[in-house]
Amino acid sequence: MDELICGNVFNIQRYSLDDGKGIRTCVFLKGCPLRCRWCHNAESQCFAQELAYHDGDCIGCGACVRACPRKCHEIHGGVHLFNRENCTLCGQCADACPSGALEHIGKSMSVEDVLKTVLRDKLFYANGGGVTLTGGEPMAQFPFALALAKAAKEAGISVVLETSGYAQTECFLKMTPFCDCFYFDCKADPALHSACTGVEDTLILQNLDAILRMDAAVVLRCPIVPGANLTEAYLDKIVALAQKYPSMRGISLLPYHKAGASKSIRIGKCAQTVFTPPSPQEMTQIRHEIRQRVAIPVF
């Protein structure tokens, strides 16, 4: 294990049940080359550290005013004012904030630092659980992601990688032996992929093919976002991939939700477009349509 390899981690979520088999510890790496219109982790996009302000949690105590060396915070009439332009992201205000209204997002951590947290829950991984590398895009911090995956495997821990698929193919080839499963995104049909995510899907499909040729276990993750990516061409693409690669473990349909929309505002960015989430009936219909045309599980 190389302690000198560090990554920018913005969250480690323990006892997760939604990111792979069993109980998992999810390590969220900061930074992503995509800009999905529906991104539910806006704080994961930028590679640099950021400061979030949760206005509903502010109690107006003034601790941030006293802690900030650049006078970025003011309290006037019980209203908290935050001047981001002068902020150097030192994090002193977040450290002083007693209510958690200010949050420093992103922390440099070594492989050993992260693995210590993961190993705390090793007892709970017995029934198929383990660590899930997610983000952001974990492959955008490839040296750290690879070192962490290797270290986890050496410690006898299952590794799942959640990825958009957008990284150099040779990086995926190096990562594959250390991953028990890939949760690999299929985000839109080719005609809309760039408009929806900021990148074309050519490299992504190339990488999917490459890891499947190495007999990787793959679950295809498909966000369902009415008004953005939900087209017949998109459903046809999902079906075509399932038919081309019958060894895939399944298709996971992910209904859009609005929870991520407010995160952009918290970190000082423009508000995202808010789409209408698909109804349970719509999801049932979409799942039924795909199931009729593929041989692998759809869930």
Side-chain angles (χ1 to χ4, degrees):
M1 186 190 309
D2 191 347
E3 295 181 37
L4 298 178
I5 298 179
C6 292
N8 191 358
V9 178
F10 74 91
N11 190 21
I12 298 180
Q13 180 180 307
R14 300 167 69 190
Y15 312 120
S16 175
L17 298 174
D18 300 319
D19 299 273
K21 290 184 177 180
I23 297 172
R24 310 199 70 82
T25 300
C26 295
V27 180
F28 291 81
L29 304 187
K30 203 168 183 325
C32 182
L34 275 64
R35 290 296 179 267
C36 300
R37 295 177 62 195
W38 55 80
C39 180
H40 65 278
N41 279 337
E43 74 276 28
S44 74
Q45 294 182 353
C46 179
F47 287 88
Q49 295 181 344
E50 294 176 286
L51 189 67
Y53 171 55
H54 307 264
D55 58 353
D57 295 330
C58 180
I59 58 176
C61 67
C64 57
V65 177
R66 296 185 292 272
C68 179
R70 296 182 64 83
K71 309 301 180 186
C72 296
H73 300 276
E74 299 179 45
I75 305 290
H76 288 298
V79 177
H80 176 238
L81 304 176
F82 178 23
N83 180 359
R84 288 186 178 272
E85 291 183 5
N86 292 336
C87 179
T88 59
L89 300 173
C90 69
Q92 293 183 52
C93 59
D95 292 338
C97 179
S99 66
L102 290 162
E103 178 187 6
H104 204 191
I105 301 174
K107 178 182 180 182
S108 179
M109 299 183 72
S110 69
V111 171
E112 184 177 50
D113 290 336
V114 175
L115 196 61
K116 283 180 181 177
T117 300
V118 171
L119 287 173
R120 291 180 196 169
D121 299 323
K122 189 174 182 180
L123 180 65
F124 300 103
Y125 302 151
N127 296 319
V131 62
T132 297
L133 307 186
T134 184
E137 172 50 65
M139 293 296 284
Q141 294 191 50
F142 173 68
F144 179 75
L146 179 62
L148 181 56
K150 285 182 177 179
K153 293 298 289 182
E154 289 171 1
I157 298 172
S158 164
V159 177
V160 167
L161 181 76
E162 294 186 337
T163 179
S164 67
Y166 194 79
Q168 293 182 1
T169 302
E170 91 176 63
C171 293
F172 275 101
L173 297 180
K174 291 178 180 178
M175 179 67 82
T176 298
F178 304 100
C179 292
D180 295 279
C181 188
F182 289 85
Y183 277 45
F184 199 102
D185 289 348
C186 174
K187 293 180 181 286
D189 70 73
L192 286 178
H193 203 279
S194 181
C196 285
T197 70
V199 302
E200 301 289 343
D201 68 349
T202 307
L203 178 60
I204 294 169
L205 295 176
Q206 176 181 309
N207 289 333
L208 178 62
D209 183 80
I211 63 173
L212 283 166
R213 287 181 183 275
M214 293 182 68
D215 295 323
V218 173
V219 173
L220 200 65
R221 293 194 314 174
C222 307
I224 304 298
V225 191
N229 71 345
L230 185 54
T231 63
E232 285 299 322
Y234 177 42
L235 301 185
D236 288 343
K237 176 183 177 180
I238 295 169
V239 169
L241 289 173
Q243 293 174 344
K244 182 177 181 179
Y245 303 112
S247 65
M248 287 197 298
R249 302 301 173 88
I251 298 169
S252 176
L253 303 178
L254 307 175
Y256 167 78
H257 59 75
K258 298 180 181 179
S262 61
K263 292 184 178 181
S264 295
I265 298 172
R266 291 174 186 168
I267 56 176
K269 295 182 179 179
C270 295
Q272 287 183 6
T273 301
V274 178
F275 299 98
T276 301
S279 68
Q281 293 77 18
E282 286 178 294
M283 291 301 299
T284 298
Q285 180 61 32
I286 292 168
R287 185 168 62 249
H288 176 74
E289 288 181 16
I290 294 175
R291 277 180 171 168
Q292 295 293 102
R293 301 167 63 188
V294 305
I296 63 177
V298 183
F299 47 88

